[in-house]
Amino acid sequence: MSPKKETLQFKTEVQQLMNIIINSLYSNREIFLRELISNASDAIDRLRFKSQTERNLLGDDAEFKIKLIPDEKKQTLEIIDNGIGMTYEEVMENIGTIAKSGTAEFVAALEKSKKKATPAPELIGQFGVGFYSAFIVADKVTVTTKAAGSDRAVKWESSGDGSYTIEETKKEDRGTRILLKLKKLEEGEQDFTQEYTLRHIVKQHSDFVNYPVVMDVEREEQVDPSEPMFDKDGKPTGAKMHKVIREETLNSMKAIWTKNKNDITEEEHKEFYNHISHDWNPPLDHLHVKLEGTTEYTALLYLPSKAPFDLFSQDHKHGIHLYSKRVFIMDDCKELMPEYLRFVKGVVDAPDLNLNVSREILQQDKIVRNIRINLVKKIFELLSKMDKEKYEAFYEVFGPVIKEGLSTDYGNKDKLADLVRFKTTKSRDKWISLKDYVANMKEDQKEIYYITGDNMATLLNSPHLEQLREKDYEILLMTDPVDEWVVQGLTEYDKKPLKSAEKGNLDVNKVDEKKKDDYSALFGFIKGHLEDKIKEVEASSRLKDSIACLTGKESDMSAYMEKIMKASGQDIPISKRILELNIDHPFIGKMKHMFETDTTNPKLKEYSNLLMDMAIISEGGKIENPSQFSKTVGELMTSSIV
């Protein structure tokens, strides 16, 4: 009886599917090897599971592996596994028709997703859609497979031209052998028969597959290993060499996230972190979680001890590597971690993720959202439980990034507010939490005071703080550019409003209304002279020793924010501010007397300019006419010396 053989046509939707995969969906040609190794790994997994109840299935072949056999001369590549294999019917079902993963509806969904740039679902590891990625690199694909426990083998072959053949054949051992007749190399394309190329692909995409991915390699070794290769002067001895073929394992198989957390050593953590992050500093801390239930995943995440070079670059990458059943799906997985935690490195292994057909774009679904929510929660817990010294070391490096979340992640605003730290007027050398700040507030203090700027020394000596310090109030000194967005997102903490020391009415020192009225005429004159620079002149409730400062309304942009916007090239309208003057300062009193004596005195305009310049300088700004300022101050100094 002759062996069964058939030549069949692909269904229309299958041919369409192949065209989509080959021409559109895979942006990286080397992905085909990941897919085929993944299928081989799954075939071994299924055999291991089945052998638990059918022990005779393994026979004498219990050493599982996946073997690559490249042939540069023939331009072929073989992928061989000793997994469960397939019967004739299973080949027809899983490869011939893609009955489970295909159909016209599936192709229609692919076409729709292609137009809308929305990913389409795929079950990872199934011998079907992913298998067809082989046609990206191959002119012809031949599959020879024998099911475990069967005495017959099957051969499937196609050139991807609309038809395939399937026939019974002979094969000594169980498992599957895929032979790819590679396409002619174009200039600049990878040669998938080269040892280096295959090593790189396996390391990149299949390093943590649970079974060894092996390949025979040619090495030159000494005929007599005991014979020295160099003499005492370091010169070659001419030791005899010969070429040998050795089977080498290409992947590490160190999927340490699958191990019990108590069985992983610190050295293993360091080695694994170095591998995935390319950061050779040890990690500051790690988080290892495994969730079972409706949403299953394992995560092994690390907090770096040093900031990556691209932390604030627009082209920065997230540090999460996504795996499914130990098979690499993607790095830079932004969907699993918010932007303000982009420094977190590690692996998430989720077996039930919905992916598009190329596994290159993650589908936004409930599973992904649940994983993200849980991971963020766990990271918050890790940070909140750190001892003070370790957390401050972390915050010195990543504090500005954490603070980004206060204006972007409203749902976690309270938790983030507990994590942020600031220097203050009473704590210049150590970090203070908002919780500690509130606990230290004076009994009559109702608001959390802060001031923003780019220089700590300038803020500490800012005239805006004089009356607040007189009251012995503590003020947050915010020197990170992101702090301007922090105070927009975080308007209160523990029911205590955040209040800028340089905007609005502080209500900490009442101004004598009668005395204030006495200065209204002088203030009107100064406002008229400086009307192109300021919008108002007012008696200050902030100042105690200084003579002048610039402030704004509650809704106005701060001076620091204006500086940031200008530095970033933003075209912002000129913002006029309020010139506040200290009516208890002797100079203002003498200027009032001069004004009342002679309103046409040219010195009044000079002194008005001087007050404006002094207010600008006191907050670290640049004045328009430094030479005139110097001249005026010099004259005042001369006149004061008797």
Side-chain angles (χ1 to χ4, degrees):
M1 190 171 174
S2 60
K4 183 178 180 182
K5 181 176 181 179
E6 298 179 81
T7 299
L8 303 170
Q9 295 293 315
F10 286 118
K11 290 184 178 180
T12 304
E13 63 267 21
V14 177
Q15 186 61 45
Q16 291 173 341
L17 177 62
M18 289 175 62
N19 290 335
I20 293 170
I21 292 173
I22 295 169
N23 299 317
S24 305
L25 289 178
Y26 284 86
S27 61
N28 189 347
R29 296 170 72 244
E30 67 187 36
I31 295 299
F32 84 93
L33 189 56
R34 181 191 69 186
E35 295 289 340
L36 299 183
I37 290 175
S38 171
N39 290 335
S41 175
D42 279 356
I44 298 174
D45 279 340
R46 289 195 293 271
L47 177 61
R48 288 181 65 185
F49 178 77
K50 194 172 182 181
S51 68
Q52 299 301 306
T53 54
E54 301 179 41
R55 299 188 182 277
N56 62 325
L57 282 179
L58 298 183
D60 297 329
D61 186 11
E63 185 180 341
F64 299 115
K65 64 182 177 182
I66 301 162
K67 187 160 189 173
L68 308 181
I69 304 179
D71 189 321
E72 185 178 2
K73 290 182 179 179
K74 295 181 180 178
Q75 276 295 294
T76 61
L77 176 63
E78 293 181 69
I79 299 93
I80 302 170
D81 70 71
N82 56 347
I84 198 165
M86 288 180 286
T87 64
Y88 193 100
E89 291 73 21
E90 287 170 335
V91 172
M92 288 284 289
E93 182 180 6
N94 293 328
I95 304 181
T97 62
I98 323 182
K100 290 184 178 178
S101 10
T103 74
E105 290 78 11
F106 183 72
V107 174
L110 280 177
E111 290 286 6
K112 185 177 180 181
S113 71
K114 183 181 171 186
K115 292 176 183 177
K116 294 186 176 182
T118 329
E122 178 204 40
L123 294 175
I124 185 171
Q126 282 198 346
F127 215 120
V129 174
F131 165 77
Y132 280 92
S133 63
F135 286 97
I136 301 172
V137 299
D139 283 329
K140 184 166 72 173
V141 178
T142 304
V143 179
T144 307
T145 182
K146 183 180 179 182
S150 175
D151 57 357
R152 292 192 296 177
V154 186
K155 179 181 176 183
W156 180 97
E157 191 169 80
S158 175
S159 298
D161 55 0
S163 67
Y164 62 92
T165 62
I166 182 169
E167 63 181 301
E168 292 180 348
T169 188
K170 291 183 179 181
K171 188 176 185 294
E172 293 297 323
D173 46 7
R174 68 163 192 271
T176 301
R177 170 182 173 270
I178 300 175
L179 174 64
L180 307 180
K181 175 57 180 172
L182 298 170
K183 293 180 178 179
K184 184 179 179 181
L185 275 176
E186 300 293 338
E187 186 176 352
E189 289 185 341
Q190 291 170 293
D191 184 349
F192 297 110
T193 65
Q194 294 298 307
E195 178 188 340
Y196 171 80
T197 301
L198 296 175
R199 282 183 181 277
H200 170 75
I201 296 171
V202 172
K203 194 70 178 173
Q204 172 69 23
H205 297 289
S206 305
D207 197 41
F208 300 109
V209 168
N210 199 32
Y211 310 103
V213 180
V214 303
M215 180 171 64
D216 290 338
V217 296
E218 186 181 89
R219 294 287 181 259
E220 194 173 65
E221 298 181 357
Q222 286 181 255
V223 174
D224 182 1
S226 64
E227 184 180 355
M229 293 190 67
F230 301 95
D231 62 22
K232 61 181 181 179
D233 297 323
K235 296 179 179 179
T237 60
K240 292 182 179 180
M241 308 292 287
H242 67 153
K243 292 182 179 180
V244 295
I245 303 295
R246 303 242 184 247
E247 184 178 88
E248 293 188 7
T249 300
L250 308 183
N251 59 325
S252 71
M253 297 176 289
K254 290 183 179 179
I256 69 171
W257 62 84
T258 63
K259 297 170 65 174
N260 186 302
K261 64 175 69 177
N262 298 322
D263 295 334
I264 306 174
T265 66
E266 286 302 313
E267 186 58 33
E268 286 179 310
H269 276 302
K270 181 180 181 300
E271 182 183 338
F272 181 65
Y273 169 75
N274 294 157
H275 173 74
I276 62 170
S277 66
H278 303 291
D279 174 11
W280 302 110
N281 298 292
L284 182 69
D285 211 334
H286 69 269
L287 173 70
H288 194 177
V289 294
K290 184 174 184 179
L291 185 68
E292 296 178 342
T294 307
T295 302
E296 293 188 9
Y297 70 90
T298 301
L300 181 53
L301 307 179
Y302 295 89
L303 299 179
S305 55
K306 304 291 183 183
F309 72 93
D310 62 346
L311 185 62
F312 295 102
S313 167
Q314 289 185 342
D315 300 323
H316 68 264
K317 286 192 173 185
H318 284 229
I320 303 301
H321 294 242
L322 178 62
Y323 283 76
S324 187
K325 294 189 287 187
R326 304 188 190 186
V327 178
F328 175 83
I329 305 303
M330 67 171 71
D331 56 11
D332 191 27
C333 190
K334 295 179 173 65
E335 293 83 359
L336 289 174
M337 200 61 62
E339 186 73 8
Y340 64 87
L341 293 177
R342 59 185 176 273
F343 53 83
V344 177
K345 309 290 184 183
V347 166
V348 174
D349 193 334
D352 298 321
L353 286 177
N354 290 323
L355 308 169
N356 82 326
V357 75
S358 67
R359 300 187 193 161
E360 292 177 334
I361 305 172
L362 202 59
Q363 184 175 8
Q364 298 297 304
D365 63 7
K366 186 177 180 181
I367 293 176
V368 175
R369 290 194 296 271
N370 285 344
I371 294 175
R372 177 182 170 125
I373 290 169
N374 288 331
L375 290 180
V376 172
K377 179 182 176 182
K378 291 293 184 182
I379 290 172
F380 285 160
E381 290 175 3
L382 176 67
L383 293 172
S384 63
K385 291 177 182 177
M386 274 186 186
D387 63 65
K388 188 173 184 293
E389 185 177 346
K390 179 184 277 190
Y391 184 73
E392 289 189 355
F394 162 80
Y395 196 79
E396 284 281 357
V397 179
F398 298 106
V401 190
I402 285 286
K403 286 190 283 190
E404 291 176 12
L406 286 166
S407 59
T408 59
D409 188 354
Y410 185 80
N412 286 310
K413 186 170 67 173
D414 292 341
K415 292 178 180 177
L416 284 162
D418 286 332
L419 292 174
V420 296
R421 301 287 187 269
F422 299 97
K423 301 291 178 64
T424 75
T425 49
K426 293 185 178 181
S427 175
R428 308 173 192 180
D429 302 320
K430 62 179 182 178
W431 296 104
I432 293 293
S433 67
L434 291 176
K435 182 179 180 181
D436 289 340
Y437 178 98
V438 171
N440 296 331
M441 284 173 64
K442 298 295 179 181
E443 289 186 11
D444 62 337
Q445 185 179 345
K446 297 179 175 59
E447 296 170 308
I448 298 172
Y449 294 103
Y450 70 88
I451 186 169
T452 61
D454 59 359
N455 185 281
M456 181 68 72
T458 301
L459 294 185
L460 275 168
N461 296 288
S462 172
H464 297 92
L465 311 183
E466 289 177 352
Q467 286 293 348
L468 292 172
R469 298 179 82 159
E470 180 72 10
K471 291 272 189 179
D472 198 29
Y473 291 167
E474 189 171 18
I475 303 105
L476 303 177
L477 305 173
M478 298 185 170
T479 55
D480 285 329
V482 70
D483 288 330
E484 286 289 351
W485 285 268
V486 167
V487 295
Q488 293 179 33
L490 185 69
T491 55
E492 67 173 30
Y493 179 83
D494 194 19
K495 299 182 180 178
K496 303 288 192 301
L498 267 71
K499 172 70 177 173
S500 171
E502 63 166 320
K503 293 196 296 183
N505 190 351
L506 291 186
D507 293 326
V508 291
N509 180 46
K510 292 191 178 296
V511 180
D512 187 319
E513 291 298 323
K514 184 179 182 306
K515 192 173 183 180
K516 179 180 175 181
D517 290 340
D518 290 343
Y519 282 84
S520 60
L522 173 63
F523 285 6
F525 170 83
I526 296 172
K527 178 185 176 182
H529 176 62
L530 300 174
E531 62 182 352
D532 59 332
K533 300 176 181 177
I534 60 174
K535 58 183 172 185
E536 194 58 73
V537 180
E538 294 180 357
S540 179
S541 62
R542 290 175 169 79
L543 302 174
K544 181 179 182 296
D545 300 315
S546 298
I547 191 170
C549 68
L550 290 169
T551 65
K553 297 294 185 184
E554 202 75 58
S555 58
D556 286 351
M557 184 184 295
S558 71
Y560 188 35
M561 175 63 93
E562 187 173 322
K563 186 176 181 180
I564 292 170
M565 300 294 278
K566 286 180 178 178
S568 64
Q570 297 288 328
D571 186 17
I572 58 173
I574 297 174
S575 176
K576 292 184 179 181
R577 299 169 70 197
I578 299 168
L579 177 63
E580 288 194 8
L581 300 176
N582 183 358
I583 58 177
D584 292 326
H585 196 282
F587 181 84
I588 299 298
K590 290 182 179 182
M591 190 174 174
K592 173 176 174 290
H593 178 72
M594 179 184 288
F595 175 75
E596 292 172 343
T597 303
D598 182 7
T599 57
T600 62
N601 191 328
K603 290 292 183 182
L604 289 170
K605 292 186 177 180
E606 277 189 43
Y607 293 160
S608 296
N609 292 334
L610 180 65
L611 291 171
M612 182 68 184
D613 287 346
M614 291 174 69
I616 293 172
I617 290 171
S618 70
E619 63 182 20
K622 292 183 178 180
I623 58 178
E624 291 181 0
N625 194 340
S627 61
Q628 181 59 45
F629 174 81
S630 179
K631 179 183 176 182
T632 305
V633 171
E635 290 174 354
L636 287 172
M637 291 171 66
T638 302
S639 63
S640 68
I641 298 175
V642 179

